[in-house]
Amino acid sequence: MRMYDLITKKKHGEVLTDEEIQFMIDGYVKGEIPDYQMSSMLMAIWFNGMTDHEITQLTMVMAKSGDMIDLSAIAGKKVDKHSTGGVGDKTTLIVGPIVAACGGKVAKMSGRGLGHTGGTVDKLEAIPGYKTALDRQEFFDTVNKCGISLIGQSGNLAPADKKLYALRDVTATVDCIPLIASSIMSKKLAAGSDCILLDVKTGSGAFMKTLDDSIKLAQTMVAIGEGAGRRTVALITDMDTPLGLGIGNSIEVAESMDVLKGHGPADLTEVSLQLAANMLYLVGKGDLDECRKLAEKSIEDGSAFETFCTMVKAQGGDDSVLRDYSKFAQAPFKAEIKAEEDGFITKMNAEAIGEMSVILGAGRETKESDIDFSAGLMLHKKYGDAVKKGDVLVTMYTSKEAAFKGAEELYRKSVVIGSTAPAKEPLVYARVEKDKVEKY
Ligand code: URA
């Protein structure tokens, strides 16, 4: 078999066989197929797509390119969650402890920030002492003890995806349904949970910008999960506006704790409750209404917050920062952006707000960059809010004062103040289950 012939086939929109997909991924992981040939294949897939069968085969071969984790040493039903990536999306830190407090088991491996989107592992590392790398036994023991463990992806989880993702990132081939679906589902299947909840983001801050594409991506991933014997549900949630008010690592941990303590921002609380209810539904805790009530109760009685603190301590972290946020390392510089006119925020480009946080130091400019955990921003006004000239719109935090100028320029370019209030947008657009799409 020759990679050249497989590229030619895909260039003409033909279907690759199971053996050809296996050959291509094996060869790429071993370094026998060079980046330039794989780049060409990725672009051919971007233009010509893949059949459902090809996507499933690609996912399975990528999942099996490394360890397939066996979670049977953890008692009870394990449920995983994955977001397709967003700005201010800190829901794992909220829904994980809610589900664990209600009796579900969350053995979750998370990723780092990517481009303008944040990552759970970076946020967790803002908690002093918290270890995101545990060995397999410590990971299992923590879930058995606390109901939850949140760690970074182990080196050998779907190595084919790791290599392919890095190549897609620099060849403009990230935004492609077969490639996103196989990337996400290969990691989820390898990570071993019994059920999977997918949070597919839609809008300006998401990889999928339209609702139709987001639903198609969700259906593709749900079909792959169910085909592999894992109960899988997807929610399509808004990412036209950042989720919550805070963007940045310690800022987002603090805001997540606000939700767990019952006084977080309304949008973040609502999306988190819907995600948590669906995870509890997947592990068999009742119908969606009953599961929502369980989730709400775990916030009201403090058990979700205490579950998170117990996990943090078990993983070496200092949980006192979760009770008193002033104990987080503080950014030395702070600046405000003020409204220059009266009106309503009629547009807020979430991707640009995410890029602002990267400029301030909260994300990586290059793969090797360090993260400034104290950097980020707090939005005081969001899409739809009325503003008066002189109102503070955003407070920015950084360790590099020179970053304020570029961040403010980006904000002014990406936020529009108009004269009439815009129509409200839903927070959750749709729910996708096997063979079923409910639009809200
Ligand atoms: N997240 C992933 O893990 N993979 C993608 O391709 C996109 C988002």
Side-chain angles (χ1 to χ4, degrees):
M1 224 178 268
R2 295 190 319 152
M3 185 63 178
Y4 181 93
D5 299 327
L6 306 194
I7 297 169
T8 307
K9 259 182 107 170
K10 199 33 93 185
K11 182 176 78 176
H12 293 300
E14 289 169 33
V15 176
L16 300 176
T17 65
D18 290 0
E19 295 69 31
E20 287 168 339
I21 291 173
Q22 182 90 47
F23 167 84
M24 165 175 99
I25 297 299
D26 283 353
Y28 186 56
V29 172
K30 285 189 201 138
E32 290 162 9
I33 292 174
D35 279 349
Y36 53 82
Q37 282 192 311
M38 189 50 97
S39 306
S40 180
M41 174 60 88
L42 291 172
M43 195 53 87
I45 293 173
W46 194 97
F47 277 105
N48 288 325
M50 288 183 124
T51 63
D52 289 347
H53 182 84
E54 281 178 297
I55 301 173
T56 301
Q57 170 68 1
L58 178 62
T59 306
M60 294 316 297
V61 174
M62 283 166 65
K64 290 177 185 163
S65 66
D67 298 341
M68 295 290 283
I69 298 174
D70 174 4
L71 296 180
S72 57
I74 299 169
K77 268 215 167 153
K78 278 73 68 180
V79 56
D80 203 346
K81 171 219 165 238
H82 191 92
S83 152
T84 55
V87 179
D89 179 9
K90 65 279 285 176
T91 55
T92 294
L93 304 183
I94 303 166
V95 301
I98 291 179
V99 170
C102 298
K105 293 289 161 17
V106 182
K108 179 156 172 48
M109 296 185 178
S110 294
R112 296 195 178 275
L114 201 65
H116 68 281
T117 67
T120 302
V121 171
D122 295 328
K123 299 182 220 275
L124 288 167
E125 288 179 355
I127 302 171
Y130 188 93
K131 280 189 286 179
T132 54
L134 299 185
D135 68 30
R136 206 56 64 81
Q137 196 55 49
E138 289 173 316
F139 180 48
F140 293 169
D141 290 347
T142 309
V143 185
N144 277 326
K145 179 172 161 230
C146 311
I148 175 170
S149 179
L150 301 177
I151 61 169
Q153 252 157 241
S154 78
N156 206 31
L157 191 88
D161 175 59
K162 199 163 181 217
K163 216 172 156 193
L164 274 172
Y165 198 98
L167 190 63
R168 287 168 56 212
D169 209 15
V170 291
T171 54
T173 50
V174 170
D175 56 339
C176 169
I177 290 175
L179 299 177
I180 297 179
S182 54
S183 162
I184 291 177
M185 293 310 289
S186 63
K187 287 177 288 214
K188 295 294 105 181
L189 297 181
S193 282
D194 306 300
C195 356
I196 302 162
L197 179 73
L198 300 163
D199 179 4
V200 177
K201 301 287 182 194
T202 192
S204 65
F207 292 121
M208 292 288 107
K209 310 283 183 205
T210 69
L211 183 57
D212 283 350
D213 280 350
S214 305
I215 290 178
K216 176 85 192 65
L217 173 62
Q219 286 177 306
T220 306
M221 293 196 288
V222 168
I224 296 171
E226 293 281 344
R230 316 283 175 94
R231 286 284 289 115
T232 308
V233 167
L235 291 189
I236 315 289
T237 69
D238 180 63
M239 191 35 70
D240 223 22
T241 304
L243 193 55
L245 302 170
I247 297 139
N249 294 286
S250 50
I251 294 173
E252 291 193 41
V253 174
E255 189 168 79
S256 307
M257 296 307 106
D258 281 347
V259 175
L260 292 180
K261 292 172 192 168
H263 52 76
D267 62 339
L268 178 61
T269 303
E270 178 56 28
V271 171
S272 300
L273 283 170
Q274 293 207 30
L275 293 170
N278 274 280
M279 290 169 80
L280 289 167
Y281 166 82
L282 281 168
V283 294
K285 296 287 172 190
D287 64 26
L288 276 177
D289 285 343
E290 290 164 338
C291 290
R292 166 132 188 166
K293 288 198 180 84
L294 281 177
E296 284 170 349
K297 186 162 172 295
S298 75
I299 293 181
E300 280 155 25
D301 66 15
S303 56
F305 175 67
E306 289 307 328
T307 299
F308 191 78
C309 293
T310 309
M311 176 197 71
V312 164
K313 278 188 282 186
Q315 293 190 210
D318 174 7
D319 71 322
S320 72
V321 297
L322 309 174
R323 300 172 199 276
D324 174 1
Y325 309 145
S326 68
K327 291 188 172 178
F328 275 117
Q330 302 292 313
F333 302 106
K334 178 174 148 180
E336 291 173 341
I337 300 180
K338 292 189 176 162
E340 291 173 335
E341 61 202 307
D342 292 355
F344 296 88
I345 298 195
T346 53
K347 186 167 171 270
M348 178 171 261
N349 183 305
E351 181 166 351
I353 303 287
E355 274 163 18
M356 253 178 101
S357 75
V358 175
I359 294 175
L360 293 168
R364 291 180 186 79
E365 298 275 4
T366 67
K367 272 203 301 199
E368 289 73 32
S369 316
D370 280 334
I371 289 223
D372 176 358
F373 294 124
S374 64
L377 55 98
M378 189 60 84
L379 300 167
H380 302 291
K381 301 281 179 187
K382 289 205 8 185
Y383 173 81
D385 287 347
V387 300
K388 288 249 165 291
K389 186 173 174 185
D391 278 354
V392 178
L393 301 173
V394 191
T395 306
M396 302 179 284
Y397 302 89
T398 187
S399 303
K400 30 177 199 176
E401 203 173 5
F404 286 137
K405 189 166 175 285
E408 176 161 356
E409 274 168 15
L410 195 51
Y411 181 88
R412 299 249 181 234
K413 262 198 281 181
S414 52
V415 173
V416 177
I417 298 184
S419 54
T420 43
K424 252 184 144 7
E425 284 182 356
L427 289 171
V428 180
Y429 286 89
R431 180 172 181 277
V432 178
E433 237 183 306
K434 191 179 177 199
D435 303 326
K436 186 166 138 195
V437 178
E438 286 168 86
K439 288 197 186 170
Y440 298 132

